[in-house]
Amino acid sequence: MRVFIDTNIILDYFMHREGFDDAEALLKTLRDRKVEMMMSVGGFYTIHFVILKYLHKEKRLYGEECLMNLRGIMRHILLLFSLAEHDNDSLMRGVMDAQFKDLEDSCQYQLAQKAGCSVFVTFNTSDYVNVAEVMPVKTPAEYLGELK
């Protein structure tokens, strides 16, 4: 089984933001059950950018200390997640899908389908209400409830 994990969940986990507890429970449960967790290569780049800003602004880390922390986080992500990549066709489907107002959300959803994921897990389920019948879209708490 493959589960697509949206970028917001990964950021909440590593930055200890509002959704941390649900994100942590989800990632731990899926890891323990040996479920393949997928994320996008684009999400990886986004996470790098956001975490770097976080380390500077919130943690006041700079230079070598910042780089060491950033490398550790990004390495951890690469060990936890399998990366999915788009091709022209899947990106075009994401760009042209009229059910979405946000192209990034559309592209993420198309990528999850392309990668053969059985569910799309995000904190922003309201961005995916028109498409959930194609592939279920769940919050971490909803999905964990189904797994129990």
Side-chain angles (χ1 to χ4, degrees), residues 65-85:
E65 185 178 16
C66 180
L67 184 58
M68 284 178 28
N69 277 270
L70 181 61
R71 282 190 172 145
I73 292 167
M74 301 313 289
R75 180 181 181 280
H76 192 89
I77 289 169
L78 290 172
L79 292 172
L80 275 176
F81 297 93
S82 296
L83 296 175
E85 292 189 76

Side-chain angles (χ1 to χ4, degrees), residues 3-7 9-10 26-27 30 37-39 81 121:
V3 174
F4 194 91
I5 308 296
D6 200 8
T7 305
I9 293 171
I10 301 166
L26 173 73
L27 298 180
L30 294 178
M37 294 183 278
M38 303 291 297
M39 66 173 288
F81 297 93
V121 185

Side-chain angles (χ1 to χ4, degrees), residues 28-123:
K28 182 182 182 327
T29 299
L30 294 178
R31 185 193 69 223
D32 290 349
R33 292 183 179 204
K34 296 180 178 20
V35 172
E36 186 175 13
M37 294 183 278
M38 303 291 297
M39 66 173 288
S40 70
V41 171
F44 184 82
Y45 295 132
T46 298
I47 291 166
H48 169 273
F49 177 77
V50 173
I51 294 285
L52 180 60
K53 286 177 65 175
Y54 166 77
L55 291 173
H56 286 164
K57 290 183 178 183
E58 301 296 323
K59 298 296 184 181
R60 304 281 189 242
L61 297 178
Y62 300 95
E64 197 62 33
E65 185 178 16
C66 180
L67 184 58
M68 284 178 28
N69 277 270
L70 181 61
R71 282 190 172 145
I73 292 167
M74 301 313 289
R75 180 181 181 280
H76 192 89
I77 289 169
L78 290 172
L79 292 172
L80 275 176
F81 297 93
S82 296
L83 296 175
E85 292 189 76
H86 275 290
D87 57 24
N88 279 10
D89 291 337
S90 62
L91 278 172
M92 185 63 78
R93 284 191 301 275
V95 168
M96 299 308 295
D97 191 337
Q99 297 178 92
F100 284 93
K101 292 183 172 135
D102 184 317
L103 295 184
E104 190 269 340
D105 290 337
S106 181
C107 288
Q108 290 279 78
Y109 191 76
Q110 292 296 330
L111 181 57
Q113 288 181 1
K114 179 181 180 289
C117 294
S118 58
V119 64
F120 188 99
V121 185
T122 181
F123 282 119

Side-chain angles (χ1 to χ4, degrees), residues 125-143:
T125 56
S126 63
D127 294 340
Y128 300 88
V129 292
N130 296 327
V131 296
E133 69 277 352
V134 175
M135 176 177 42
V137 177
K138 307 286 182 184
T139 66
E142 290 170 339
Y143 190 58

